Amino acid sequence: MAESVELPSRLGILPFRNKVLLPGAIIRIRCTSPSSVKLVEQELWQREEKGLIGILPVRDSAETMAVGPMLYPGAGADLGERSSKHQVGTSDSHKLDGKNQQEVIHWHTRGVAARALHLSRGVEKPSGRVTYIVVLEGLCRFSVQELSTRGTYYTARIAPLDMTKAEMELVEQDPEFMTLSRHFKTTAMELISVLEQKQKTGGRTKVLLETVPVHKLADIFVASFEISFEEQLSMLDSVDVKVRLSKATELVDRHLQSIRVAEKITQKVEGQLSKSQKEFLLRQQMRAIKEELGDNDDDEDDVAVLERKMQNAGMPPNIWKTAQRELRRLKKMQPQQPGYNSSRVYLELLADLPWQTASEESELDLKAAKERLDHDHYGLVKVKQRIIEYLAVRKLKPDARGPILCFVGPPGVGKTSLASSIAAALGRKFVRISLGGVKDEADIRGHRRTYIGSMPGRLIDGLKRVAVCNPVMLLDEIDKTGSDVRGDPASALLEVLDPEQNKTFNDHYLNVPYDLSKVIFVATANRMQPIPPPLLDRMEVIELPGYTPEEKLRIATRHLIPRVLDQHGLSSDFLHIPEAMVKLVIQSYTREAGVRNLERNLAALARAAAVRVAEQEHDMPLGKEVHQLASPLLESRVADGAEVEMEVIPLDVNNHEISNTFRVPSPFIVDEAMLEKVLGPPRYDDRETAERVATPGISVGLVWTAFGGDVQFVEATAMVGKGDLHLTGQLGDVIKESAQIALTWVRVRATELKLAAAEESNLLEGRDVHIHFPAGAVPKDGPSAGVTLVTALVSLFSQRRARADTAMTGEMTLRGLVLPVGGIKDKVLAAHRYGIKRVILPERNLKDLVEVPAAVLAGLEILPAKRMEDVLEHAFEGGCPWRQHSKL
Ligand code: ADP
């Protein structure tokens, strides 16, 4: 061990690049560079007595950091033949220019004197180059006073840094030092114990602790760890023994902790490994036991079942290959392994998808198809005709790329049921895909399997459900898809509906192409306008307007009532709804374009009747055949009433039959009282319009909504103000502008219309006008309220009531021309529903009336208008009397 050494005043310097030799450390180096070889040769090899050299850390320029004092001479280890002296000044670091400007080497100002424990000289064979292998031992610290070159290597004038014996003895008395050294020894002892436990080495290191002075031990310990260059430098710089001890304690402690953490992790990993090995072993044993018992329902068999299912799925060869690859992966996995389940669910889907399975298409009988359509739907002559044409084309050319039918109309007009009738006529299965509110492209195309919780898109899912590859697929509410950040479902639908592309439809989850070309697509929408044009382009739109009350009555009596009765286990023997009552339901309880609410109300009546039938049975004399009855539902009731032998009929017996076992003396006849009891007081009546238009300033407009046509009242009022116009009722920009135009027009014509006394008088002098569109929660927009707005304003300013039996629609220009608007058919039907007698329409819209059923037109007076004045003429009782005096 290093004892105190007499240092010479000058030492040959061996630079250590990014490395530190600490006192007490032993290192083996190989010297090959000319300068280091020269240094070893001259300072160590050729000396009689044992020589010393100085080891000085140098830092690459790239690594320069402000740690510790540094020297900056010009050249590195490879020095030229020159001799220059570099004074180390008071400042800690100097930068000295050298020959090689690019390679600036930063010398540390403190180093360690080292002696060679072993030296061996080698001569490389062909080149004759001399190299040395030197085992060096660090002895003590020194500081560099002056650095100079001697021949090819550096020498330095140095001063020792270590304390003298006397100084050391003094420090050893210091209580702080004593505490520090005790602390260090404890930590060091702990480290040694941990290491000895690990490596099972003898107590040799422990001896060190007893024999070597603690300040040297600090260096020796730290030298044996892997620590950063910065930490090594700071250890070297710790000339003060107390600082050195505390630094060393910290480093030893850190090393100790890291060993402990590493040990813990190893233990944990080992524990886990053995746990999973144990599990595996147990599982194997369990499998063996099950095999012995002939109990085969474990996972492996499930996989075999899956494989068989896949083989029978009739996948195309390329998809079969992908499936097999995935299956191989699955077989290699443990069921507990992450990914096992997702892989399995995916394969199940592949196996379940109808790759080839198709419903057998019977020879299409057009007559039967027509009968079926007529049987299911009343009216809709043109629509049915178009469907028959469509089917006829399919019959002649089954693989023809026919257009995709898109039924457009308000809810409840029979769009869905028409599509299912098409499926029935073709003998195909029917599947409905609801697209309402779909905003994410992944809903159509599926999520990639890399996502957690990924699943196929709605189309593939629908095909899996229906289990045939050629169903009639209804894309319901195609107008309700929207696009946002998650992509555009409409563009995915484009691919679906394009016969060129849908042969290889790519669902992201499925990740293999699926042939959709055999599917017959039918779409439905409430409105045409929101459907993106490219999508609309691929479809043939068939419009279904709302029904007239007469049509509704026919639909109710012929289709809805029989169906509703059947659904409730009743028949006409139990319940009779007279036509007058159906009409009442249509007029007073529903105000819709379709028949959905009508059907709902009829169902409510049927439910009420069913309860009465069940209750009435108490009072009924029990016939002989009653003892054969048996619905579990009725068992208890019958048993209460009489002692009869019971026989339980299986549940699948038709309800209808069961109810027929009752003997009902006479059917219930629905009357107004029952209507009120079941459906509540009437919701609508014809007096509504009259009541609402009871004061001046209100007019009746006709609008078009997603639910078909509707009546829209416009209310205007005036109050003290500064001539402002207030608008309320969730209005869009277009309708707001219409209101401005209307007000301007009325103001301009104020005198002519006798609304203001003199030419110059201002209609809005000292007052504000407020226009409101009731049903404030429903957003409204569009230009067709123009004429209605003017009528409301004229009525307000003239204080004359507009006619309550007259509704109107039409856009108005600033000059007072009435322009045509859309949705005439729906609007006229709505007016009819509301019991309106007169409808003012733009003259150019008269041609649209051909679409309105004659029965509706017969009950309406249609009043064409070319200019706003015409509208006013029709809108007020007795015409527009003030008009005669105007120049209009
Ligand atoms: P939509 O899809 O247009 O909203 P549905 O097809 O669901 O409407 O129709 C609602 C109900 O009204 C269904 O029970 C349907 O059979 C019935 N229905 C609609 N129109 C007719 C009609 N013309 N004849 C017979 N029933 C009809």
Side-chain angles (χ1 to χ4, degrees):
M1 195 43 46
E3 62 286 351
S4 10
V5 224
E6 274 293 324
L7 280 183
S9 61
R10 189 168 272 285
L11 276 178
I13 295 294
L14 185 65
F16 263 18
R17 207 178 265 257
N18 298 330
K19 196 158 172 49
V20 175
L21 178 74
L22 286 172
I26 293 170
I27 196 171
R28 188 165 177 268
I29 56 166
R30 186 182 151 87
C31 301
T32 51
S33 77
S35 57
S36 57
V37 167
K38 199 87 191 153
L39 168 85
V40 172
E41 208 148 46
Q42 290 194 359
E43 302 288 339
L44 303 172
W45 185 256
Q46 292 168 1
R47 294 236 171 168
E48 296 285 323
E49 77 286 23
K50 280 191 175 165
L52 293 177
I53 55 169
I55 308 295
L56 208 54
V58 294
R59 182 200 287 277
D60 284 346
S61 53
E63 299 211 358
T64 308
M65 277 173 66
V67 174
M70 289 284 182
L71 280 171
Y72 300 88
D78 196 13
L79 298 165
E81 285 296 321
R82 68 200 171 102
S83 180
S84 59
K85 284 194 173 177
H86 307 302
Q87 190 70 42
V88 178
T90 42
S91 116
D92 272 332
S93 57
H94 288 257
K95 181 170 176 166
L96 303 171
D97 287 343
K99 190 174 63 175
N100 185 351
Q101 285 285 351
Q102 277 103 17
E103 204 194 354
V104 180
I105 292 188
H106 310 274
W107 296 80
H108 200 65
T109 51
R110 289 176 184 137
V112 168
R115 69 169 170 219
L117 294 180
H118 179 81
L119 267 175
S120 67
R121 189 174 198 265
V123 182
E124 278 178 12
K125 261 290 145 71
S127 60
R129 191 169 75 139
V130 175
T131 60
Y132 283 99
I133 291 178
V134 192
V135 178
L136 285 172
E137 182 191 12
L139 296 177
C140 57
R141 291 171 172 77
F142 61 78
S143 74
V144 180
Q145 306 288 303
E146 184 191 74
L147 201 60
S148 51
T149 50
R150 178 190 291 168
T152 52
Y153 63 89
Y154 272 105
T155 61
R157 195 156 59 76
I158 59 153
L161 283 173
D162 282 357
M163 288 182 198
T164 59
K165 227 177 181 168
E167 281 171 334
M168 201 57 227
E169 270 168 14
L170 213 68
V171 173
E172 270 167 5
Q173 306 305 316
D174 185 346
E176 195 191 339
F177 176 82
M178 281 154 74
T179 322
L180 279 170
S181 81
R182 221 182 8 258
H183 197 173
F184 172 77
K185 278 190 176 172
T186 325
T187 321
M189 194 64 195
E190 252 179 86
L191 177 67
I192 291 169
S193 319
V194 169
L195 289 177
E196 276 181 357
Q197 243 179 24
K198 265 181 81 161
Q199 291 154 7
K200 313 251 175 332
T201 50
R204 263 186 304 146
T205 336
K206 273 186 189 152
V207 183
L208 272 180
L209 280 180
E210 316 308 319
T211 52
V212 180
V214 71
H215 64 282
K216 288 194 174 163
L217 269 179
D219 283 333
I220 294 169
F221 265 81
V222 173
S224 64
F225 312 147
E226 284 251 8
I227 53 171
S228 70
F229 181 51
E230 302 319 325
E231 282 168 329
Q232 288 175 352
L233 282 182
S234 101
M235 195 64 196
L236 175 63
D237 290 336
S238 308
V239 177
D240 185 324
V241 284
K242 283 193 268 183
V243 175
R244 193 184 310 165
L245 269 184
S246 77
K247 218 166 253 169
T249 314
E250 189 190 317
L251 288 170
V252 172
D253 191 58
R254 199 177 74 193
H255 190 63
L256 188 65
Q257 298 311 330
S258 70
I259 290 177
R260 283 194 175 140
V261 171
E263 230 166 24
K264 236 187 218 166
I265 292 171
T266 326
Q267 271 172 9
K268 218 174 181 177
V269 171
E270 273 174 3
Q272 271 174 3
L273 212 69
S274 59
K275 196 174 154 213
S276 67
Q277 278 167 347
K278 207 164 110 188
E279 254 177 36
F280 179 72
L281 213 75
L282 286 174
R283 235 169 259 290
Q284 290 298 94
Q285 284 175 356
M286 195 162 79
R287 197 161 288 169
I289 293 169
K290 276 192 175 172
E291 256 172 41
E292 279 298 308
L293 291 173
D295 202 1
N296 282 331
D297 65 342
D298 65 355
D299 284 322
E300 206 153 57
D301 293 313
D302 279 1
V303 173
V305 171
L306 176 63
E307 190 171 4
R308 216 169 312 122
K309 206 158 94 179
M310 282 166 59
Q311 279 160 355
N312 298 332
M315 295 178 208
N318 54 337
I319 291 156
W320 176 235
K321 251 187 223 161
T322 317
Q324 269 186 321
R325 204 178 315 130
E326 188 71 30
L327 186 70
R328 277 200 296 276
R329 229 165 67 85
L330 182 78
K331 280 182 180 166
K332 277 187 214 144
M333 280 195 252
Q334 287 284 321
Q336 299 76 28
Q337 222 167 315
Y340 179 88
N341 231 13
S342 106
S343 178
R344 195 181 159 140
V345 171
Y346 174 70
L347 284 174
E348 294 272 2
L349 174 70
L350 283 187
D352 284 342
L353 268 184
W355 298 98
Q356 312 244 319
T357 331
S359 358
E360 209 166 300
E361 228 175 308
S362 50
E363 175 71 3
L364 184 64
D365 180 353
L366 278 185
K367 201 161 154 264
K370 194 165 181 322
E371 272 166 16
R372 164 125 222 153
L373 282 173
D374 283 338
H375 175 265
D376 290 349
H377 300 92
Y378 171 83
L380 303 173
V381 182
K382 271 194 194 160
V383 177
K384 286 186 206 161
Q385 183 55 36
R386 179 63 194 94
I387 293 175
I388 293 294
E389 284 166 19
Y390 175 80
L391 296 178
V393 174
R394 281 203 72 86
K395 182 177 178 176
L396 295 179
K397 201 163 186 294
D399 55 347
R401 283 190 207 149
I404 286 136
L405 297 182
C406 178
F407 298 120
V408 177
V413 289
K415 302 184 294 293
T416 314
S417 64
L418 274 175
S420 86
S421 290
I422 294 179
L426 287 169
R428 294 197 184 196
K429 284 199 179 179
F430 179 69
V431 57
R432 177 174 162 269
I433 312 279
S434 173
L435 297 177
V438 167
K439 287 214 165 65
D440 191 347
E441 197 180 338
D443 272 327
I444 310 287
R445 273 190 199 284
H447 294 270
R448 289 187 195 286
R449 278 179 59 212
T450 39
Y451 291 105
I452 292 175
S454 57
M455 51 185 178
R458 295 192 186 194
L459 280 111
I460 291 295
D461 187 55
L463 283 166
K464 184 186 146 191
R465 267 189 286 138
V466 79
V468 286
C469 63
N470 65 344
V472 170
M473 189 178 271
L474 179 72
L475 304 173
D476 209 6
E477 305 197 305
I478 204 162
D479 57 332
K480 303 265 167 44
T481 58
S483 59
D484 66 4
V485 280
R486 291 167 293 177
D488 183 6
S491 64
L493 281 174
L494 267 184
E495 189 188 325
V496 170
L497 299 184
D498 187 343
E500 291 296 334
Q501 294 181 48
N502 70 11
K503 270 203 170 74
T504 54
F505 173 67
N506 193 4
D507 183 281
H508 288 156
Y509 179 84
L510 203 60
N511 210 19
V512 287
Y514 188 89
D515 183 2
L516 286 178
S517 61
K518 296 191 197 81
V519 179
I520 295 183
F521 290 103
V522 178
T524 77
N526 286 142
R527 297 165 63 186
M528 219 150 69
Q529 180 214 351
I531 307 176
L535 208 55
L536 200 59
D537 199 42
R538 298 239 150 81
M539 301 189 290
E540 180 177 332
V541 171
I542 299 179
E543 283 187 83
L544 284 92
Y547 297 113
T548 63
E550 291 69 32
E551 282 174 326
K552 285 185 191 173
L553 181 65
R554 297 279 93 77
I555 294 172
T557 47
R558 290 188 201 170
H559 298 271
L560 303 182
I561 295 177
R563 195 179 324 150
V564 162
L565 289 182
D566 189 49
Q567 279 166 359
H568 291 79
L570 298 167
S571 74
S572 50
D573 296 338
F574 291 88
L575 180 69
H576 176 61
I577 312 178
E579 266 196 27
M581 290 304 116
V582 180
K583 268 189 193 160
L584 208 59
V585 175
I586 295 170
Q587 272 164 16
S588 307
Y589 289 92
T590 64
R591 209 169 244 181
E592 51 174 355
V595 290
R596 192 165 288 162
N597 280 329
L598 177 59
E599 189 174 3
R600 223 171 269 152
N601 283 332
L602 293 174
L605 289 174
R607 275 197 304 276
V611 173
R612 303 242 323 235
V613 169
E615 274 172 0
Q616 199 205 34
E617 155 276 328
H618 266 296
D619 317 324
M620 276 191 334
L622 288 165
K624 264 193 191 149
E625 61 271 56
V626 174
H627 72 275
Q628 284 167 2
L629 139 157
S631 148
L633 179 94
L634 301 173
E635 268 174 290
S636 58
R637 292 181 188 285
V638 177
D640 290 345
E643 275 189 7
V644 286
E645 203 181 310
M646 303 295 287
E647 181 195 333
V648 177
I649 301 172
L651 267 176
D652 57 356
V653 168
N654 191 336
N655 279 343
H656 200 77
E657 277 172 34
I658 293 171
S659 43
N660 276 339
T661 58
F662 286 101
R663 288 223 248 114
V664 182
S666 59
F668 287 117
I669 299 175
V670 175
D671 54 10
E672 244 175 282
M674 181 174 174
L675 271 192
E676 282 224 36
K677 200 170 154 209
V678 178
L679 305 178
R683 285 205 232 153
Y684 312 101
D685 62 35
D686 286 351
R687 294 193 307 272
E688 187 194 351
T689 335
E691 278 164 14
R692 292 184 73 166
V693 192
T695 47
I698 299 168
S699 57
V700 190
L702 292 172
V703 291
W704 192 74
T705 70
F707 297 98
D710 207 353
V711 162
Q712 170 75 58
F713 294 90
V714 176
E715 299 176 350
T717 189
M719 63 267 181
V720 178
K722 289 186 264 173
D724 294 335
L725 172 65
H726 305 280
L727 294 168
T728 50
Q730 281 220 52
L731 308 181
D733 287 343
V734 178
I735 207 165
K736 279 183 187 160
E737 284 175 4
S738 294
Q740 284 288 355
I741 295 169
L743 185 62
T744 307
W745 189 86
V746 173
R747 288 177 71 182
V748 169
R749 309 281 154 132
T751 332
E752 292 165 39
L753 291 168
K754 298 222 159 164
L755 303 177
E759 189 90 18
E760 51 288 342
S761 87
N762 183 359
L763 208 52
L764 293 186
E765 185 80 59
R767 54 181 171 178
D768 282 357
V769 172
H770 185 159
I771 299 177
H772 178 61
F773 286 70
V778 184
K780 305 164 195 83
D781 205 4
S784 67
V787 295
T788 325
L789 280 158
V790 172
T791 309
L793 288 172
V794 170
S795 162
L796 172 74
F797 290 125
S798 67
Q799 283 300 302
R800 292 179 50 137
R801 271 189 277 141
R803 287 182 68 147
D805 61 349
T806 309
M808 61 202 75
T809 185
E811 182 177 353
M812 195 200 65
T813 67
L814 203 52
R815 314 291 301 175
L817 282 179
V818 176
L819 301 183
V821 291
I824 289 297
K825 186 174 47 185
D826 297 85
K827 288 175 178 174
V828 172
L829 286 177
H832 184 64
R833 271 203 302 281
Y834 272 75
I836 286 183
K837 299 283 175 288
R838 305 164 80 237
V839 175
I840 305 172
L841 294 181
E843 196 181 44
R844 278 161 63 193
N845 273 129
L846 289 185
K847 61 179 186 332
D848 299 320
L849 289 175
V850 289
E851 295 171 28
V852 182
V856 174
L857 282 181
L860 284 175
E861 189 183 348
I862 303 289
L863 305 157
K866 226 170 162 177
R867 301 184 54 84
M868 193 55 228
E869 290 83 352
D870 303 332
V871 176
L872 293 177
E873 177 73 19
H874 297 310
F876 291 92
E877 196 74 53
C880 192
W882 53 88
R883 190 186 180 211
Q884 293 142 19
H885 311 287
S886 73
K887 291 179 273 171
L888 296 175

